[in-house]
Amino acid sequence: MSDSKKRFSDESNIQYTFTSTEDLIGNTKAIAKFVQHHMANQQPRLKVLQEYYKGNNASILNGQRRKEEHLADNRATHNFAKYVSQFIQGYMVGIPLKTVHKVEEVNNKIREMNRVNDADEHNSELILDQSIYGRAYELLYRDMEDQIRFTVSDVLNTFVIYDDTVEMLPIGGIRYMINQFNENEIVIHLYTNNQHFIYKGNQSLEDIAVNGTLPHHFDGVPIIEYSNNKFRQGDFEDVLTLIDLYDAAQSDLANYSQDLNDAMLKIVGNLEIDSDEAKHMRDTNLLFLRTEPNPHGSNTQADADYIYKEYDVSGSEAYKDRIANDIHMFTATPNMNDENFGGVQSGEAMKYKLFLLEQKRAAKERLFKKSLRDRYRLINNIMKVAAEGEFDVNDLIITFTENLPENIAKEMEWFTKAGGKLSDETMLSMLSFIENPQEELKKLEEEDKKNPLNQPMYDFQQHQQTEVIENE
């Protein structure tokens, strides 16, 4: 297939590679080429995906659809893209993922760090960017209060450069932006394993130079890429043409309905009226057809009706349903309009209906966990330098919980009737708003100790022991 038949070129989603960090630093020509390529080849694809997510479906909104100026030209967009990405986002992190370390002291530090950075919202934004663009980027830094921070970096102006080995290790991360007060100036931030370089130049990138250098102590590139899948493809990217077809079918149906109201009136017969009289008839919704005698002595025939294009409405509805079902099938998302999907069902029954999405979720989770461990590996590196302690990243337990409606009450009813019992810790772990069951149990224990009503007024066992000693 030639590039002219593709929506996006092969260059729109390639991974950038270079020989080494040493060769990249100070090589302004190479840095300029990377940024130029990203702006010319990768940004357009990312912007198209962003517009579809916003509901600005380019295919239906741009270009000429109908040649006749007097006919309706409705252009209806249907935001399947947002439905797909938001459903997957909610399914994966609607219940926040849990990051737990087996060492309690380390666990407390990570929990506090996550609270400072609002990690639940941050992870949710990363998952959404992954779903839309096929990739997401995270920037780690140390703020003015000397706290470790991480934030989402805009996909439209961020990318990572890897080495040219089979391991594809990151050797540099780039963020660039046009000066909003001077559109001819561009600022480029290059992050390596231990340095942050700032370049400035004109937008043509013909002449950029180092404007500043800052050290960092993450001992690794602090821009982390989160890939959605092997091909870095968005979750709705391969159904864009189907979304276009649905938009076109719905728009054509709307045009038909409007054209029917504005249909051309056809009059058969000898009707002699002036324009003012015709206008008056139209305004009053009345039409007088006067017949006249023909040469044979009988009256002429007169008739009036509308001329419009016949449209197979039922066929069009079936066609749209088929397209919508294909969109849901190829994106592995459920069609909530499907009557067979609703109803009160157990979580296990729902999983069977979401089998394809479960396979996609498993693959996405593996890639997300890989990048998430890179985040905490860099955090551990800078904590060691700052003498704030260290931990084994391999001991982190990262848990995703699919956000499914589950009939827990029914399961508990069956379990208790069968004579089953659960520990307090297990009961607490079933609550989505409890982040750490063990911590909650400790709080309950401390509260019980402080409550005077829970203190024994008289120790009968001690009293009995005292009586025995006295009798002896």
Side-chain angles (χ1 to χ4, degrees):
M1 181 183 288
S2 64
D3 286 345
S4 61
K5 297 295 183 181
K6 294 181 180 180
R7 186 184 289 267
F8 305 120
S9 70
D10 293 336
E11 295 291 310
S12 67
N13 206 10
I14 62 172
Q15 294 272 24
Y16 293 125
T17 60
F18 204 67
T19 51
S20 66
T21 304
E22 291 73 23
D23 294 338
L24 184 63
I25 295 174
N27 192 338
T28 55
K29 290 185 177 180
I31 294 170
K33 284 184 178 180
F34 280 125
V35 175
Q36 283 176 331
H37 185 278
H38 191 271
M39 293 175 68
N41 296 280
Q42 304 226 0
Q43 256 194 17
R45 167 185 168 271
L46 300 171
K47 288 180 177 179
V48 167
L49 295 174
Q50 184 183 77
E51 290 303 304
Y52 268 83
Y53 178 79
K54 291 180 178 179
N56 300 323
N57 304 355
S59 181
I60 193 69
L61 295 176
N62 300 332
Q64 183 178 359
R65 297 193 70 247
R66 308 194 77 178
K67 297 179 180 179
E68 302 87 350
E69 293 183 359
H70 65 284
L71 295 179
D73 188 15
N74 295 295
R75 300 172 185 234
T77 63
H78 300 79
N79 208 334
F80 282 100
K82 178 173 285 187
Y83 174 89
V84 169
S85 290
Q86 288 190 339
F87 187 93
I88 291 175
Q89 177 194 31
Y91 183 65
M92 291 191 65
V93 288
I95 299 175
L97 65 87
K98 296 180 180 179
T99 307
V100 180
H101 197 277
K102 65 180 184 180
V103 178
E104 188 60 25
E105 183 181 356
V106 175
N107 198 31
N108 291 334
K109 288 182 179 180
I110 291 176
R111 190 181 303 117
E112 180 60 28
M113 192 182 307
N114 287 342
R115 287 172 181 168
V116 169
N117 287 279
D118 196 4
D120 292 344
E121 177 63 22
H122 173 78
N123 294 331
S124 182
E125 289 182 12
L126 288 174
I127 291 288
L128 183 60
D129 274 1
Q130 273 187 310
S131 181
I132 298 172
Y133 307 106
R135 52 183 126 150
Y137 295 99
E138 175 182 72
L139 172 65
L140 281 75
Y141 63 98
R142 197 92 169 182
D143 66 10
M144 299 298 292
E145 297 178 359
D146 213 23
Q147 288 184 313
I148 300 172
R149 304 301 300 268
F150 42 84
T151 186
V152 175
S153 189
D154 191 353
V155 178
L156 268 64
N157 54 32
T158 308
F159 58 91
V160 174
I161 303 171
Y162 299 90
D163 65 20
D164 55 4
T165 67
V166 293
E167 293 181 279
M168 286 192 68
L169 301 175
I171 60 173
I174 286 183
R175 292 172 55 243
Y176 64 91
M177 59 215 69
I178 306 298
N179 190 333
Q180 60 180 341
F181 300 108
N182 181 6
E183 294 186 356
N184 191 43
E185 183 182 72
I186 188 170
V187 180
I188 302 171
H189 297 265
L190 169 64
Y191 300 85
T192 63
N193 287 337
N194 48 33
Q195 294 286 325
H196 171 198
F197 300 91
I198 303 172
Y199 298 84
K200 283 188 178 182
N202 53 38
Q203 193 172 347
S204 64
L205 295 169
E206 294 175 355
D207 185 22
I208 62 171
V210 177
N211 189 254
T213 304
L214 299 171
H216 70 76
H217 303 284
F218 285 101
D219 193 21
V221 177
I223 292 182
I224 300 172
E225 179 174 349
Y226 290 74
S227 296
N228 194 45
N229 47 54
K230 177 181 178 180
F231 301 100
R232 300 199 305 171
Q233 190 176 36
D235 288 324
F236 58 82
E237 187 172 347
D238 58 353
V239 296
L240 293 180
T241 53
L242 293 177
I243 296 174
D244 293 341
L245 288 176
Y246 192 94
D247 287 345
Q250 189 77 319
S251 299
D252 288 342
L253 183 58
N255 289 337
Y256 164 73
S257 300
Q258 187 169 333
D259 289 344
L260 185 60
N261 293 330
D262 298 333
M264 182 182 295
L265 177 64
K266 178 188 71 175
I267 300 176
V268 179
N270 186 10
L271 182 62
E272 295 183 1
I273 57 175
D274 58 26
S275 59
D276 291 336
E277 188 176 358
K279 182 179 180 182
H280 177 71
M281 289 182 182
R282 185 191 67 182
D283 294 341
T284 56
N285 288 328
L286 292 173
L287 181 62
F288 293 101
L289 300 178
R290 294 189 293 267
T291 60
E292 296 179 356
N294 58 27
H296 302 288
S298 60
N299 289 337
T300 58
Q301 295 293 323
D303 191 17
D305 61 2
Y306 284 98
I307 300 175
Y308 57 90
K309 182 181 179 181
E310 292 289 342
Y311 200 84
D312 183 6
V313 177
S314 60
S316 175
E317 289 299 321
Y319 172 65
K320 289 191 300 178
D321 288 343
R322 186 164 65 251
I323 295 173
N325 288 332
D326 284 347
I327 291 173
H328 289 295
M329 179 174 67
F330 294 130
T331 57
T333 55
N335 185 352
M336 291 303 183
N337 291 326
D338 184 359
E339 295 179 357
N340 295 323
F341 190 82
V344 179
Q345 304 178 48
S346 69
E348 289 302 315
M350 191 72 74
K351 284 181 180 179
Y352 281 109
K353 293 187 176 183
L354 297 174
F355 180 75
L356 288 177
L357 184 57
E358 275 290 293
Q359 309 315 303
K360 176 183 283 190
R361 179 180 72 89
K364 288 163 71 79
E365 281 185 13
R366 285 193 293 269
L367 290 172
F368 196 90
K369 286 180 179 179
K370 179 177 179 293
S371 296
L372 197 61
R373 290 188 185 280
D374 287 339
R375 175 204 295 176
Y376 289 105
R377 178 178 58 80
L378 295 183
I379 288 174
N380 178 55
N381 292 343
I382 200 168
M383 286 177 64
K384 285 193 294 185
V385 173
E388 296 174 356
E390 59 181 291
F391 57 92
D392 189 346
V393 179
N394 295 321
D395 289 336
L396 278 175
I397 301 172
I398 303 169
T399 306
F400 281 82
T401 306
E402 67 273 14
N403 190 15
L404 279 176
E406 296 183 4
N407 196 347
I408 302 253
K410 188 174 181 179
E411 293 180 9
M412 288 298 298
E413 182 182 359
W414 169 85
F415 184 72
T416 52
K417 284 183 178 179
K421 293 182 179 180
L422 293 176
S423 67
D424 289 342
E425 183 177 349
T426 301
M427 294 284 285
L428 288 171
S429 67
M430 297 172 68
L431 300 176
S432 61
F433 54 86
I434 299 296
E435 184 178 352
N436 191 320
Q438 293 179 345
E439 182 182 9
E440 190 67 24
L441 285 172
K442 288 182 179 179
K443 290 180 180 178
L444 287 171
E445 186 179 349
E446 291 175 0
E447 289 179 359
D448 286 342
K449 289 180 179 178
K450 294 178 181 178
N451 191 345
L453 296 178
N454 294 330
Q455 302 297 327
M457 296 180 65
Y458 187 76
D459 193 335
F460 290 98
Q461 185 177 2
Q462 179 66 31
H463 176 70
Q464 291 174 353
Q465 291 177 351
T466 303
E467 286 184 344
V468 171
I469 295 172
E470 291 176 350
N471 291 334
E472 290 179 349

